């Protein structure tokens, strides 16, 4: 027996009364045919609010980029009000703020105070208030906190031997700040309806960023950074060609491509599975602007990641033929917007094929990455247990690079791979803990998918599959990208770690509802 909407299927509610109401409609609805968990009118209202709000912010940024400080205050007050009234709504605001880098952009470009840490502390305060005054004890946070604390302990040990204590200390501070936010996400993300809203907050962030950068690319207004949310710079492309590479609010095209690729499987899943037409249109909007923005970054790693996540989505859950044809029909016209030098840039990937006559080391970018990753490996070989210390790779790069003689640049560099960076700076101990976190995370995602299926919530099972593919895409991009902007990773990890508890809560409520229904029907 499947429940029929969010209001009739929530842990802690009177499931007996709900089952009486649902049985009048169709007590025999088979699992797998469950409609959208929330009421249609609420879905439409929430979606319109998210996208219209995002569109309003875009309009303000485009028309009055000097008023971002005022906008930060307005959004901060709105987020504070939402958090005070219901902390889960604050979680939705946190997801949007982090994914758009709103606080960082407002601080860097408009001298506004940072709102990220105060907002995280506000959420933490709300959790304690609910605990002490309303007896709503936080659950599900102990194991994630222990894992993150263990990883933090490895970083803390590096303070004892790192050559540059200040760099290690600063990086450790940012990790604990981001880990605190991840734990708060785990505590607040307990219900399926909250998960849906967080996913849509991420897609609203994609619509916001992608719409601005697509507009920037198509109009050629690269000198305007649109309040800091559409940074772009001229970079080497291929051969002797240079061109603008958009970088959104990051300033780094590869990082921008990495976080956009996370949104593409989520948008595609919503396009295929949302029950209402407005939400499918919003999903198509997010899919279109995020995909185009990945192309406009000229990121080769971003291109490979895009192919991976799209391929996994099609293999893991093939859509109906009609839906696939509609998706292809939407995608084909987008190719006319590709920059002229894009194919030249992507074609350089063939230099790594065994049959290629070109030498990849002739490409400055490839040569630099080869040197950076080789240096990371050498550092690991010298300090295999604990590494050279958090963020101390740049301190030692030139020392090792001069011995290799591959990279002519005489400047401190960062690794070009997340995993080699961890090996170089935290050694086998750090990599072991990191992989343990990933193992727990993916096991929890698999369990969440199974439990949502048991509860007849196939829409959420599909959403979980899409999120799993999104995380795989992020980690695949880590082969070519270091840990810069790691707050995105820890926020996404917090969502992933919370998903298993969300599904457990829902399947428990489903089973209790079944038991209540069976006992009621057994009465004479």
């Amino acid at each position: 027996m499947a429940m029929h909407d969010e209001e009739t299927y929530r842990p802690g509610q009177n499931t007996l009364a709900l089952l009486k109401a649902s049985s009048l409609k169709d007590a025999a609805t088979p699992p797998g045919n469950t409609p959208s968990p929330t009421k249609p009118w609420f879905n439409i209202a929430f979606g319109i609010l998210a996208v219209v709000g995002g569109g309003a912010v875009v309009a303000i940024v485009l028309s009055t980029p000097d008023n971002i400080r005022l906008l930060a205050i307005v959004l901060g007050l709105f987020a504070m009000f939402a958090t005070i009234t219901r902390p889960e709504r604050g979680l939705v605001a946190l997801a949007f703020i982090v994914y758009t880098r709103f606080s960082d952009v407002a601080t860097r470009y408009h001298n506004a105070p940072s709102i990220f840490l105060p907002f995280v502390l506000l959420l933490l305060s709300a959790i304690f208030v609910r605990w002490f005054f309303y007896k709503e004890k936080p659950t599900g946070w102990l194991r994630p906190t222990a894992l993150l604390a263990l990883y933090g302990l490895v970083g803390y040990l590096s303070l004892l031997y790192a050559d540059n204590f200040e760099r290690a200390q600063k990086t450790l501070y940012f990790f604990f700040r981001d880990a605190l936010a991840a734990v708060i996400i785990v505590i607040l993300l307990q219900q399926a309806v909250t998960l849906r809203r967080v996913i849509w907050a991420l897609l609203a962030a994609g619509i916001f960023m992608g719409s601005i950068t697509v507009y920037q690319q198509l109009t050629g207004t690269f000198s305007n950074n649109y309040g800091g949310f559409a940074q772009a710079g001229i970079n080497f492309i291929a051969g002797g060609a240079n061109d603008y590479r958009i970088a959104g609010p990051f300033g780094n095209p590869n990082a921008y491509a990495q976080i956009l690729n996370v949104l593409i499987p989520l948008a595609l899943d919503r396009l295929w599975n949302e029950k209402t037409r407005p939400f499918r249109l919003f999903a198509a909007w997010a899919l279109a602007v995020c995909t185009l923005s990945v192309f406009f970054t000229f990121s080769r790693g971003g291109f490979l990641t895009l192919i991976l996540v799209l391929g996994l989505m099609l293999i893991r859950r093939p859509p109906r033929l009609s839906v696939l044809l509609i998706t292809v029909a939407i995608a084909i016209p987008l190719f006319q917007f590709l920059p002229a030098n894009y194919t030249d840039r992507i074609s350089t990937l063939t230099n790594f094929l065994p049959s290629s006559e070109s030498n990849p080391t002739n490409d400055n970018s490839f040569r630099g990455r080869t040197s950076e990753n080789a240096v990371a490996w050498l550092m690991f070989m010298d300090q295999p247990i604990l590494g050279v210390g958090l963020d101390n790779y740049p301190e030692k790069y030139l020392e090792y690079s001069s011995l290799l003689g591959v990279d002519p640049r005489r400047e401190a560099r960062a690794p070009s791979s997340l995993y080699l960076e961890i090996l170089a700076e935290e050694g086998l101990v750090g990599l072991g803990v990191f992989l343990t976190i990933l193992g727990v995370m993916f096991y929890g995602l698999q369990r969440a998918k199974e439990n949502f299926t048991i509860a007849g919530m196939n829409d959420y099972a599909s959403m979980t599959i899409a999120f799993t593919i999104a995380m795989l895409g992020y980690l695949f991009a880590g082969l070519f990208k270091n840990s810069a902007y790691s707050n995105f990773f820890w926020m996404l990890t917090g969502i992933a770690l919370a998903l298993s508890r969300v599904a457990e809560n829902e399947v428990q409520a489903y089973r209790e509802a079944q038991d209540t229904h069976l006992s009621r029907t057994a009465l004479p």
Side-chain angles (χ1 to χ4, degrees):
M1 177 180 176
M3 306 307 293
H4 292 275
D5 59 81
E6 202 77 53
E7 297 303 321
T8 63
Y9 189 59
R10 184 175 301 169
Q13 286 193 330
N14 188 336
T15 51
L16 176 59
L18 300 176
L19 277 166
K20 288 180 179 178
S22 65
S23 62
L24 294 176
K25 299 178 182 179
D26 184 8
T29 302
N33 295 326
T34 350
S36 178
T38 52
K39 291 183 177 180
W41 66 264
F42 183 84
N43 268 341
I44 294 173
F46 183 76
I48 291 175
L49 178 62
V51 177
V52 170
V57 173
V58 171
I60 294 173
V61 171
L62 293 179
S63 60
T64 58
D66 292 330
N67 290 329
I68 300 297
R69 182 187 298 185
L70 176 62
L71 183 59
I73 295 173
V74 172
L75 287 182
L77 291 174
F78 174 79
M80 182 180 298
F81 175 77
T83 302
I84 292 173
T85 56
R86 191 163 184 83
E88 288 80 1
R89 296 171 183 168
L91 176 59
V92 174
L94 177 67
F96 183 86
I97 290 170
V98 171
Y99 225 80
T100 57
R101 298 198 75 223
F102 190 90
S103 179
D104 298 293
V105 168
T107 300
R108 178 177 178 182
Y109 289 92
H110 308 281
N111 297 318
S114 174
I115 63 173
F116 174 73
L117 185 57
F119 191 56
V120 168
L121 295 177
L122 177 64
L123 286 171
L124 184 62
S125 301
I127 291 171
F128 279 107
V129 167
R130 288 171 56 169
W131 185 1
F132 287 112
F133 292 97
Y134 299 99
K135 308 303 180 183
E136 297 181 18
K137 184 178 179 180
T139 60
W141 58 272
L142 187 57
R143 183 169 63 178
T145 301
L147 287 171
L148 294 174
L150 183 60
Y151 192 63
L153 177 61
V154 177
Y156 178 79
L157 291 176
S158 70
L159 298 179
L160 304 177
Y161 58 85
D163 287 353
N164 191 319
F165 177 86
E166 287 75 18
R167 292 182 71 104
Q169 185 182 45
K170 182 178 180 181
T171 302
L172 186 64
Y173 161 76
F174 284 123
F175 166 75
F176 279 118
R177 182 198 66 176
D178 298 335
L180 175 62
V183 172
I184 288 174
I185 290 172
V186 171
I187 293 173
L188 292 178
L189 186 49
Q190 297 282 326
Q191 294 182 352
V193 63
T194 308
L195 171 64
R196 178 180 292 274
R197 290 168 179 169
V198 168
I199 295 298
W200 272 109
L202 296 178
L203 292 178
I207 290 173
F208 170 72
M209 296 184 296
S211 299
I212 295 176
T213 50
V214 167
Y215 177 84
Q216 180 190 45
Q217 178 75 31
L218 298 183
T219 58
T221 51
F222 300 107
S223 60
N224 186 349
N225 64 20
Y226 295 98
F229 289 100
Q231 303 165 45
I234 296 179
N235 298 97
F236 169 78
I237 301 299
N242 296 321
D243 204 344
Y244 279 100
R245 296 180 62 186
I246 67 166
F250 291 81
N252 184 313
N254 297 319
Y256 190 36
Q258 183 182 32
I259 68 101
L260 288 173
N261 273 318
V262 170
L263 302 178
I264 287 172
L266 301 179
L268 192 57
D269 172 71
R270 293 299 85 206
L271 175 63
W272 290 345
N273 296 298
E274 278 291 344
K275 302 299 188 289
T276 58
R277 181 175 298 176
F279 268 74
R280 290 197 297 271
L281 292 176
F282 299 150
W285 182 2
L287 180 64
V289 295
C290 288
T291 302
L292 282 173
S293 295
V294 169
F295 289 139
F296 296 155
T297 65
F298 283 93
S299 172
R300 290 169 291 202
F303 172 79
L304 293 176
T305 305
L306 176 62
I307 297 301
L308 174 71
V309 297
L310 288 177
L312 289 176
M313 284 293 292
L314 294 174
I315 293 171
R316 184 65 182 83
R317 193 176 187 277
R320 297 188 303 273
L321 179 60
S322 59
V323 175
L324 182 59
L325 291 176
I326 292 174
T327 304
V328 173
I330 293 173
I332 289 178
L334 299 181
F335 286 101
Q336 65 179 309
F337 299 113
L338 291 182
N341 296 322
Y342 188 78
T343 54
D344 294 335
R345 174 77 171 177
I346 298 303
S347 65
T348 59
L349 291 171
T350 62
N351 294 343
F352 287 93
L353 297 177
S355 59
S356 175
E357 297 179 357
S358 301
N359 186 350
T361 59
N362 292 333
D363 186 303
N364 291 332
S365 176
F366 286 149
R367 186 166 59 247
R369 287 172 177 266
T370 300
S371 175
E372 291 156 8
N373 289 335
V375 165
W377 182 256
L378 291 176
M379 288 185 189
F380 162 67
M381 295 300 291
D382 285 345
Q383 302 287 337
I385 305 302
L386 292 173
V388 298
L390 284 181
D391 201 27
N392 268 241
Y393 172 100
E395 289 290 308
K396 294 177 172 288
Y397 176 75
L398 289 178
E399 175 187 341
Y400 283 85
S401 176
S402 60
L403 297 176
L404 286 175
V406 176
D407 185 4
R409 296 171 298 183
R410 308 306 299 166
E411 58 184 21
R413 304 292 299 176
S416 295
S417 168
L418 169 65
Y419 311 102
L420 287 174
E421 178 184 23
I422 294 175
L423 276 176
E425 296 187 345
E426 300 172 71
L428 288 172
V429 175
L431 183 64
V433 177
F434 182 78
L435 294 179
T436 300
I437 294 174
L438 296 186
V440 171
M441 178 186 73
F442 282 114
Y443 175 77
L445 288 171
Q446 176 63 23
R447 289 290 300 155
K449 191 265 292 185
E450 294 171 355
N451 281 331
F452 279 134
T453 303
I454 290 172
M457 302 175 69
N458 286 359
D459 189 34
Y460 284 100
S462 175
M463 198 182 300
T464 302
I465 294 171
F467 194 84
T468 302
I469 292 173
M471 292 302 298
L472 288 172
Y474 186 98
L475 294 169
F476 175 78
L479 293 171
F480 327 107
K481 171 76 179 55
N482 57 36
S483 66
Y485 310 101
S486 59
N487 55 326
F488 289 87
F489 171 75
W490 295 117
M491 182 190 73
L492 294 171
T493 300
I495 296 172
L497 292 173
L499 261 167
S500 60
R501 177 53 64 95
V502 173
E504 287 173 5
N505 289 340
E506 297 297 342
V507 79
Q508 179 182 356
Y510 170 75
R511 286 169 172 163
E512 290 174 354
Q514 274 192 319
D515 293 341
T516 303
H517 177 66
L518 290 175
S519 63
R520 180 175 61 84
T521 55
L523 293 175

